[in-house]
């Protein structure tokens, strides 16, 4: 019958002086376990400090589609207040990030909205011209 070996160590076979094989246990690995396990913390996201126009464009399109549970007819003021309250857009001065004020957010929103309107009007004109050309042929 075989004897059970200790679970922590591996058996090692050695020859004794009489020629018989003797089983001995190897020494265990005594490494300390790190106490701080888990994800490593990094700097939190402070907000958007660059490419604000692209962020505003996406927010306007989402707002227009009704994905923010608001009617688009309520105007851009609700969207501007939402952006100001959540502090999505930040201004970076050195290493300090300060949220943009409501008035500057409103100006940026109106400028971006006007740009979106102009782009849509240009696309509609191009489509109208393309259909007129195809009808003339």
């Amino acid at each position: 019958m075989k004897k059970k070996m200790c679970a922590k160590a591996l058996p090692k076979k050695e020859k004794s002086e009489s020629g018989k094989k003797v089983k001995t246990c190897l020494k265990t690995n005594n490494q300390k376990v790190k106490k701080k396990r888990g994800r490593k913390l990094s700097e939190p996201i402070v907000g958007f400090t660059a490419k604000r126009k692209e962020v505003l464009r996406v927010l306007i399109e989402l707002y227009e589609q009704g994905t923010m549970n608001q009617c688009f007819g309520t105007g851009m003021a609700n969207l501007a207040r939402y952006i100001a309250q959540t502090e999505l857009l930040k201004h970076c001065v050195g290493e300090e990030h300060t949220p943009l004020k409501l008035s500057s957010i409103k100006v940026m929103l109106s400028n971006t909205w006007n740009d979106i309107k102009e782009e849509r009007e240009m696309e509609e004109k191009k489509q109208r011209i393309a259909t007129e050309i195809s009808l003339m042929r």
Side-chain angles (χ1 to χ4, degrees), residues 113-124:
W113 175 241
N114 289 336
D115 292 344
I116 290 173
K117 277 187 188 175
E118 288 175 8
E119 288 176 7
R120 288 182 183 168
E121 289 173 1
M122 292 295 289
E123 287 178 22
E124 289 175 5

Side-chain angles (χ1 to χ4, degrees), residues 57-119:
R57 180 179 296 272
V58 169
L59 286 173
I60 288 172
E61 289 173 359
L62 290 173
Y63 186 66
E64 187 179 22
Q65 294 169 2
T67 57
M68 296 182 169
N69 293 331
Q70 287 286 324
C71 177
F72 184 67
T74 57
M76 290 291 164
N78 277 344
L79 183 59
R81 279 191 292 274
Y82 169 76
I83 293 170
Q85 287 171 354
T86 57
E87 298 180 354
L88 283 175
L89 301 177
K90 301 272 185 156
H91 178 68
C92 185
V93 178
E95 291 193 18
E96 187 176 323
H97 301 282
T98 57
L100 290 178
K101 301 208 186 268
L102 182 63
S103 60
S104 59
I105 293 172
K106 284 182 181 180
V107 170
M108 291 171 65
L109 269 175
S110 65
N111 291 339
T112 307
W113 175 241
N114 289 336
D115 292 344
I116 290 173
K117 277 187 188 175
E118 288 175 8
E119 288 176 7

Side-chain angles (χ1 to χ4, degrees), residues 6 10 13 15 17 19 24 27 35 46 49 55-56 58 60-61 66 79 82 92 100 102 105 114 118 127:
C6 57
L10 298 172
K13 294 182 181 178
K15 287 188 177 180
E17 294 173 7
T24 59
K27 293 181 182 178
K35 292 182 181 179
V46 286
T49 56
V55 172
L56 286 175
V58 169
I60 288 172
E61 289 173 359
L79 183 59
Y82 169 76
C92 185
L100 290 178
L102 182 63
I105 293 172
N114 289 336
E118 288 175 8
Q127 288 178 353

